[in-house]
Amino acid sequence: MPQHVTDLDAAVDWLLARTDGPLRIGAPLALGKPHRLLNALYARIENDPSRPLQLYTALSLNPPKAKGDGLEARFMAPFVQRHFGDDFPRLLYADAVLRDALPAHVQVEEFYMQSGALLGSSQAQRNYTSLNYTHAADAVAQRAPNVIVQKVAFREGSTRLSLSCNNDITQDTLDAIARRGLPRPLLIAEVDPQLPWLGGSATVPADFFDLVVVPPGPYPQLFGLPRQPVNDADYAIGFLASALVRDGGTLQIGIGTLADALSHALVMRHTDNARYRQVLHALDPEIEQRPLVLEAGGLEPFDVGLYGCSEMLNEGFRVLVQSGVIRRKVHDDLALMQRIENGSAYMSDHATLAAEGEYLHGAFYLGSPEFYDWLRHRPEDECRAIGMRRISEINQLYGGNETLEQLQRRDARFFNSCMMATALGAAVSDALEDGRVVSGVGGQYNFVAMAHALPDARSILMFRALREDAGKPQSNVRWNYGHTTIPRHLRDIFINEYGIADLRNLTDEDCVIAMTAITDAAFQTPLLEQAKSAKKLARDFTAPAAWQRNTKQTLKAALVPFRADGSLPDYPLGSDFTAIEQDLLRALSWLKANTATRGDKLRTVWAALRQSAGDNDAMYLQRMGLEQPGSFGERLNARLLRLGLAKTARAPGIDH
């Protein structure tokens, strides 16, 4: 049986006494990282060059820090304090990486980063390892770790521990280490009573670990991702994407507002189908006749339901389960699944599937406090329908169970996001042209490749058609880009707010035409000229007049009625912000967009100086600590805030 300790320093003593020389430590990504144990270890070795440390991990999450005394900082500081709590243990090594302040004897290797957070860190950029998620376990094994640490859940009366939020690569890493003939590393668990217990394949016997640390309370909150507002472009993308999902199929989604919009659309398709079709018709009057929708998707409510199979379980899956969209169960009994597939199943097979089957599989989970609360309080029989699996099982078909997984993953739709797409079908998702990493490849390539390997499966990459650069709109459909994540020979389906481009098996010329058809109208002509210059498009090709409708103004007009009646709320999956904070966020977003250039800033400041006070401004100024501005800067910020609130005011009765 493992040794148990309650003191973190005692755990560090135990670890250091049982390892010689450099420490080579593996830790899970995101929620499963034992913050307090890692902090105690880092504090011990930070100034001790005799014990070099190499940490192999990904997605080291810390709450954002407010900088300065501007409007953004005034908004953020109270929210961070409330949402994360005063006692949240910030990862000390992550703060050091952000400042490029790791000591020379400490190295942190990550294969996935918090999106955009480490573009300015030399230490993070130099020590990033570009990996498909399914290769991460072997990459860690290659480094011969001597310790693996992980946060776990404990349940009264159980002799087992639950890997809970991170069943992704720990066991795969141990198998990879054994295949290489390397010694098994020490395994240390940190028990967190806040962590939801998930059973089944997520549990391990207590002696799986060599040391179990049970730190004393109070226990800090779990890291909760603040849910962000969904804009018009996000909604258009999510609703168009939802029309490609086939009833009885399989669903994988990523994270972010595009996934939130897709989840909301799928819920509306099932629970308010008439309104759902009205939204789609406003976006595309021909949607019901589109060949791709007829062949690969549908608009009807879900009679059979979907099976969810995604590397990450998040907020979207919560609402999809709650609304009855996700309910198609699968089983790991191959013979049973074959009988169900060919129609020869016994009555007992259906009973077994109902009692033992699972409708949601994931490798790790991450979400809001509401999501964690939902996991904690699900009835036992419903909790058994969620299975946490190894990443090698979720993100690929290969490993000996291909026949079973093909039966489970019928009509799979893999939805992921990218930053940019090229006119010839490549996707840019993880890094910039100069090589700096924004986030990481993660499982995106895995799912794109699986979509081509599975019969009747499709990969759908979602992206916004436009981005702002120094206050000017830029197209996210590029002719070419100096970095790609998904090569163009794996092109499949792209969706942005202007439509759907089905590129699978198309010629280069047809790809160019399909991608230009979903490009913003202001950028179509130069894109077509580049294609013609590169001999990829006939010289006499002329863009159809209908493409000129690809504008933000046209999109906004199409969705105004549904925004006004609450069909498309700002926060479709719930909000972590108060009603006042939601109004403030809209105002701050408007101010950011209207102060991006020097000219815009001067115009906005001039307008703010002339802005009169609104009836409800006092409560917003109080929330921002500007109810009694003293300095000139505070007075100017108060006026800017009033202007932003006036420009983004909602009519009474509109859902915030």
Side-chain angles (χ1 to χ4, degrees), residues 320-355:
L320 290 168
V321 170
Q322 288 174 326
S323 64
V325 173
I326 287 184
R327 65 179 188 276
R328 178 174 74 84
K329 290 186 175 182
V330 301
H331 201 285
D332 285 342
D333 184 327
L334 174 59
L336 182 151
M337 290 298 297
Q338 287 175 325
R339 289 193 297 271
I340 289 176
E341 178 69 16
N342 64 29
S344 64
Y346 309 113
M347 290 183 63
S348 59
D349 288 335
H350 292 288
T352 299
L353 184 64

Side-chain angles (χ1 to χ4, degrees), residues 251-423:
L251 181 69
Q252 179 264 329
I253 57 176
I255 191 169
T257 55
L258 295 181
D260 292 354
L262 170 59
S263 300
H264 182 67
L266 290 170
V267 170
M268 187 182 288
R269 173 176 160 181
H270 186 59
T271 61
D272 190 355
N273 194 257
R275 196 60 170 159
Y276 167 76
R277 288 171 183 260
Q278 289 172 357
V279 176
L280 271 177
H281 190 267
L283 292 168
D284 179 3
E286 306 298 323
I287 190 71
E288 295 183 4
Q289 288 77 46
R290 298 293 181 193
L292 185 61
V293 173
L294 295 172
E295 295 167 9
L299 305 182
E300 300 79 14
F302 296 96
D303 181 49
V304 177
L306 304 178
Y307 155 59
C309 184
S310 190
E311 67 180 27
M312 176 180 176
L313 303 186
N314 54 34
E315 215 71 40
F317 285 107
R318 172 180 64 84
V319 299
L320 290 168
V321 170
Q322 288 174 326
S323 64
V325 173
I326 287 184
R327 65 179 188 276
R328 178 174 74 84
K329 290 186 175 182
V330 301
H331 201 285
D332 285 342
D333 184 327
L334 174 59
L336 182 151
M337 290 298 297
Q338 287 175 325
R339 289 193 297 271
I340 289 176
E341 178 69 16
N342 64 29
S344 64
Y346 309 113
M347 290 183 63
S348 59
D349 288 335
H350 292 288
T352 299
L353 184 64
E356 301 175 2
E358 297 172 335
Y359 49 59
L360 188 57
H361 285 155
F364 76 100
Y365 63 74
L366 183 64
S368 71
E370 184 179 357
F371 174 68
Y372 303 143
D373 193 61
W374 175 71
L375 287 175
R376 284 189 201 100
H377 297 106
R378 288 176 60 74
E380 186 68 28
D381 59 333
E382 293 182 20
C383 197
R384 284 198 300 269
I386 300 177
M388 301 302 292
R389 303 296 181 98
R390 301 182 184 205
I391 203 68
S392 58
E393 295 179 45
I394 296 293
N395 282 33
Q396 64 182 7
L397 296 173
Y398 315 113
N401 293 318
E402 292 92 331
T403 303
L404 172 64
E405 288 167 353
Q406 285 188 15
L407 290 170
Q408 293 175 336
R409 299 174 192 184
R410 67 180 188 229
D411 294 319
R413 301 292 178 265
F414 302 117
F415 292 96
N416 291 284
S417 301
C418 62
M419 299 184 296
M420 289 175 276
T422 72

Side-chain angles (χ1 to χ4, degrees), residues 168-217:
D168 46 355
I169 69 169
T170 300
Q171 296 175 82
D172 282 344
T173 300
L174 293 176
D175 289 348
I177 288 170
R179 285 195 301 270
R180 288 177 175 272
L182 298 169
R184 186 180 187 272
L186 295 171
L187 268 74
I188 303 177
E190 179 186 312
V191 173
D192 188 342
Q194 301 282 356
L195 203 61
W197 170 278
L198 289 176
S201 57
T203 66
V204 294
D207 60 4
F208 180 81
F209 292 98
D210 301 291
L211 179 70
V212 175
V213 186
V214 188

Side-chain angles (χ1 to χ4, degrees), residues 638-652:
R639 287 184 174 273
L640 285 168
L641 188 61
R642 285 195 182 107
L643 177 65
L645 289 166
K647 293 291 186 180
T648 57
R650 293 289 182 86

Side-chain angles (χ1 to χ4, degrees), residues 12 35 51 55 117 124 184 198 235 254 274 292 324 439 503 621 642:
V12 173
H35 281 220
R51 296 306 303 262
L55 178 63
R184 186 180 187 272
L198 289 176
Y235 267 127
L292 185 61
S439 52
L503 307 186
L621 292 171
R642 285 195 182 107

Side-chain angles (χ1 to χ4, degrees), residues 24-78:
R24 301 182 301 278
I25 297 182
L29 57 72
L31 205 61
K33 217 178 259 73
H35 281 220
R36 292 199 280 181
L37 176 60
L38 286 170
N39 281 348
L41 176 61
Y42 183 77
R44 185 77 65 88
I45 61 90
E46 180 182 14
N47 298 309
D48 183 4
S50 69
R51 296 306 303 262
L53 168 65
Q54 289 181 301
L55 178 63
Y56 316 119
T57 187
L59 199 55
S60 298
L61 296 172
N62 267 342
K65 276 188 174 180
K67 296 179 182 178
D69 192 38
L71 290 173
E72 184 177 346
R74 286 175 176 272
F75 176 86
M76 187 185 299

